[in-house]
Amino acid sequence: MNSPSSLAPRPLTAGTHQDRAPYAEALRAHADRSWVRLNVPGHAAEATPGHPLVEAFGPGVLRMDFPPLLEGLDLGSDTPMDQATSLAAEAWGARRTWFLTNGASQGNQTASLITPMLGRTLIVQRSVHSSVIDGLVLSGLKSAFVQPSLDTVQGIAHGVTAEAVAETIARHPDAAAVYVVSPSYFGAVADIRAIADVTHAAGIPLIVDEAWGSHFGFHPDLPAGALSQGADLVTSSTHKLGGSLTQSAMLHLGDGPFADRLEPLIDRAFRLVQSTSASALLIASLDIARRNLASGHDAIGASVEAADRIRHVVRRMGRHGVVSDGFGRFPDIAAADPLRVAIDTRAGGISGHEARQRLFRDHQIMVEVSTESAIVAVVGAGSAPDTERFLEALHTLPRPLDDQLDRDLRLSLPTPGEAVLTAREAFMSPGRVVPAVEAVGRVSTDTLAAYPPGIPNVLPGEVITSETVRFLQLTAAAPNGHVRGAVDPTVAHLRVVDA
């Protein structure tokens, strides 16, 4: 496994233009003027004392909550909006960047919608986010899945190798594109350069869901971004570790061999899924996040040091384990994101779900993800968390595991059932809700994904297995467990194709 710095490009040198946030600055100037607002939004920025929204958010938020298509913001030529997206494209090394106000899910849907123009089968990493599967439903394409490596000890999926991608492409001459995820929820970074090489050799583009890697490439201790490694289209969930507001994201087009063909297709698909009332607040937060990443070398370095300290203390204390210490066993992992701290709590005598719940309830500490065996803490690029408080709480957690519970925690990720229909065919088919035990052996109409982390365990068109039903029911019963797409919270019933 390569070190992050060996894969990272030279950090962007912040010039005076990257130190600016043109859209956010224009929005603030707009808000500072004295307006009589007889348009939407209906709150009309009435910052009178006692107004419910003022009480909840303060007057400044209301004053900056403007609708789209305003002169001086995004209407006209060379607008602050144009300048902001151009600066973002430069910062991430893109040919062009689109700002998204419906999360990275919107980027994945946009990317999926263009693929029918490129071929008939989408080559997809099986452990993609559920929004990519939603995109398959929208596009109607056939899919061919590349299986990720599995850590059977931790019960987590990592990434795919270039060799596995090449083998799948060879079996599908009608391939439209390849769709992979990097980094994973646990911080495993794929060898995007090698995957891009085999994808391009086959004459098709590479799409990367880099939702968790919006900060990549902005510091020498961080891995390189997917665009710099040859990806053609990249979804970036900027709000995750990049620092923008929740639900804001970006879609980046690389300046590669497919850019001329992809750009007009993306433009059209983007308009289909973008709100006509995009939030100025979310857009401004993207502009500010880009500025902070591009000019925040020292702050990002401090964040890396904070995450390194957590790992160092966990190793020194010896109770829990550091999941990334085992990444070298997997050929698909080229690097690790240092701002993702995955901790094996089961080794310390407590399940990941229980640890997450107790940290939240007893210590007012939130971590991002839990599984049966681990928790994942994330350190935002440029943030400075209270590492001492977290480490103290982590090491004062009780040790409630007994032998039976420990055996239950070793439940492996289920093997997917056979795909007999396309995602769109199954989703659009008449369905019937049946008890889970009767659903075994039948075809699912729904995407079922254990949350967190949201990787689908059942896809529309796949046969439901008893192994998967048990896994999903145990997930639903765990503290903070949730199954997205289930017809009831306990997964007692499932919706199947009514054949």
Side-chain angles (χ1 to χ4, degrees), residues 261-285:
R261 187 176 182 189
L262 293 177
E263 186 171 358
L265 297 176
I266 297 166
D267 246 347
R268 295 177 66 193
F270 171 78
R271 287 194 292 271
L272 286 178
V273 295
Q274 171 74 323
S275 170
T276 56
S277 301
S279 168
L281 296 167
L282 297 183
I283 294 169
S285 78

Side-chain angles (χ1 to χ4, degrees), residues 433-437 439 446 448 473 485-495:
V433 175
V434 299
V437 66
D446 299 330
L448 302 175
Q473 289 179 339
V487 296
D488 63 70
T490 62
V491 198
H493 297 80
L494 296 172
R495 184 182 289 107

Side-chain angles (χ1 to χ4, degrees), residues 147-161:
Q147 297 299 327
S149 67
L150 294 178
D151 183 336
T152 55
V153 175
Q154 294 294 332
I156 56 177
H158 291 309
V160 296
T161 63

Side-chain angles (χ1 to χ4, degrees), residues 108 124-136 145 147-148 150 157 181 185 209 413-417 444 446-460 462 468 471-472 482-485:
N108 285 331
V124 186
Q125 179 175 326
R126 181 56 179 76
S127 53
V128 290
H129 189 263
S130 56
S131 61
V132 178
I133 306 306
D134 295 344
L136 280 174
F145 293 104
Q147 297 299 327
L150 294 178
V181 179
Y185 283 89
D209 181 353
L413 288 172
T415 302
S444 176
D446 299 330
T447 301
L448 302 175
Y451 261 80
I455 296 170
N457 307 106
V458 178
L459 304 181
E462 285 185 347
T468 300
F471 176 85
L472 293 174
H482 171 69
V483 177
R484 180 182 186 262

Side-chain angles (χ1 to χ4, degrees), residues 16-297:
T16 54
H17 60 296
Q18 283 291 342
D19 290 338
R20 294 187 57 237
Y23 184 89
E25 292 162 7
L27 182 64
R28 175 59 67 102
H30 219 60
D32 287 342
R33 298 175 67 184
S34 178
W35 297 100
V36 174
R37 293 174 61 165
L38 302 176
N39 60 341
V40 297
H43 60 67
E46 293 179 357
T48 54
H51 189 289
L53 289 177
V54 172
E55 292 293 317
F57 304 114
V61 171
L62 271 65
R63 285 199 298 267
M64 290 190 291
D65 187 20
F66 284 100
L69 301 179
L70 290 180
E71 184 179 352
L73 283 177
D74 59 351
L75 192 62
S77 60
D78 193 28
T79 64
M81 178 68 159
D82 295 332
Q83 296 167 26
T85 54
S86 294
L87 286 170
E90 178 188 72
W92 271 272
R95 169 170 171 158
R96 185 173 171 191
T97 291
W98 290 260
F99 282 179
L100 312 175
T101 57
N102 197 29
S105 295
Q106 180 188 342
N108 285 331
Q109 291 165 4
T110 301
S112 298
L113 282 170
I114 69 171
T115 53
M117 312 299 179
L118 308 173
R120 299 184 60 83
T121 301
L122 188 61
I123 310 296
V124 186
Q125 179 175 326
R126 181 56 179 76
S127 53
V128 290
H129 189 263
S130 56
S131 61
V132 178
I133 306 306
D134 295 344
L136 280 174
V137 171
L138 293 173
S139 71
L141 273 190
K142 295 186 295 182
S143 56
F145 293 104
V146 187
Q147 297 299 327
S149 67
L150 294 178
D151 183 336
T152 55
V153 175
Q154 294 294 332
I156 56 177
H158 291 309
V160 296
T161 63
E163 291 77 14
V165 170
E167 291 170 3
T168 307
I169 293 173
R171 295 194 298 270
H172 297 277
D174 60 349
V178 169
Y179 216 127
V180 301
V181 179
S182 180
S184 72
Y185 283 89
F186 283 75
V189 182
D191 189 346
I192 296 299
R193 174 63 67 188
I195 295 172
D197 287 345
V198 301
T199 302
H200 291 167
I204 56 178
L206 173 62
I207 305 170
V208 178
D209 181 353
E210 197 176 44
W212 285 96
S214 61
H215 55 299
F216 282 9
F218 287 100
H219 190 278
D221 289 337
L222 298 176
L227 284 177
S228 71
Q229 301 299 294
D232 298 290
L233 188 60
V234 172
T235 297
S236 176
S237 192
T238 323
H239 74 89
K240 285 185 167 62
L241 274 80
S244 61
L245 292 177
T246 297
Q247 202 173 309
S248 60
M250 298 186 192
L251 183 64
H252 304 295
L253 173 65
D255 199 6
F258 303 96
D260 287 342
R261 187 176 182 189
L262 293 177
E263 186 171 358
L265 297 176
I266 297 166
D267 246 347
R268 295 177 66 193
F270 171 78
R271 287 194 292 271
L272 286 178
V273 295
Q274 171 74 323
S275 170
T276 56
S277 301
S279 168
L281 296 167
L282 297 183
I283 294 169
S285 78
L286 288 169
D287 196 20
I288 292 169
R290 182 271 315 153
R291 180 191 65 191
N292 293 347
L293 287 170
S295 59
H297 179 276

Side-chain angles (χ1 to χ4, degrees), residues 213-393:
S214 61
H215 55 299
F216 282 9
F218 287 100
H219 190 278
D221 289 337
L222 298 176
L227 284 177
S228 71
Q229 301 299 294
D232 298 290
L233 188 60
V234 172
T235 297
S236 176
S237 192
T238 323
H239 74 89
K240 285 185 167 62
L241 274 80
S244 61
L245 292 177
T246 297
Q247 202 173 309
S248 60
M250 298 186 192
L251 183 64
H252 304 295
L253 173 65
D255 199 6
F258 303 96
D260 287 342
R261 187 176 182 189
L262 293 177
E263 186 171 358
L265 297 176
I266 297 166
D267 246 347
R268 295 177 66 193
F270 171 78
R271 287 194 292 271
L272 286 178
V273 295
Q274 171 74 323
S275 170
T276 56
S277 301
S279 168
L281 296 167
L282 297 183
I283 294 169
S285 78
L286 288 169
D287 196 20
I288 292 169
R290 182 271 315 153
R291 180 191 65 191
N292 293 347
L293 287 170
S295 59
H297 179 276
D298 291 344
I300 296 172
S303 299
V304 173
E305 290 176 6
D308 284 342
R309 170 164 172 72
I310 294 173
R311 282 184 288 268
H312 172 73
V313 172
V314 168
R315 294 184 186 110
R316 189 186 70 202
M317 296 294 288
R319 176 183 171 185
H320 305 289
V322 176
V323 173
S324 58
D325 288 347
F327 280 3
R329 297 185 290 113
F330 299 92
D332 56 278
I333 301 179
D337 178 7
L339 295 184
R340 208 82 52 83
V341 185
I343 298 170
D344 181 353
T345 60
R346 184 182 58 197
I350 185 170
S351 77
H353 292 312
E354 175 99 5
R356 185 184 188 214
Q357 184 182 54
R358 287 180 177 270
L359 287 169
F360 182 89
R361 184 188 63 203
D362 301 337
H363 300 277
Q364 291 74 58
I365 293 173
M366 291 187 282
V367 295
E368 180 60 33
V369 173
S370 65
T371 66
E372 288 86 356
S373 60
I375 60 172
V376 181
V378 298
V379 179
S383 69
D386 187 343
T387 58
E388 296 302 321
R389 178 176 167 185
F390 171 64
L391 287 164
E392 180 180 359

Side-chain angles (χ1 to χ4, degrees), residues 390-476:
F390 171 64
L391 287 164
E392 180 180 359
L394 180 68
H395 287 91
T396 57
L397 292 173
R399 300 172 184 260
L401 287 185
D402 58 31
D403 291 341
Q404 179 59 48
L405 179 57
D406 190 45
R407 283 194 295 272
D408 288 343
L409 290 176
R410 295 182 183 275
L411 180 69
S412 299
L413 288 172
T415 302
E418 180 186 3
V420 296
L421 297 173
T422 69
R424 185 180 180 87
E425 287 170 343
F427 186 86
M428 297 298 184
S429 293
R432 183 154 62 97
V433 175
V434 299
V437 66
E438 296 180 19
V440 174
R442 303 186 67 171
V443 179
S444 176
T445 62
D446 299 330
T447 301
L448 302 175
Y451 261 80
I455 296 170
N457 307 106
V458 178
L459 304 181
E462 285 185 347
V463 174
I464 298 168
T465 67
S466 58
E467 179 189 14
T468 300
V469 170
R470 179 170 180 255
F471 176 85
L472 293 174
Q473 289 179 339
L474 283 174
T475 297

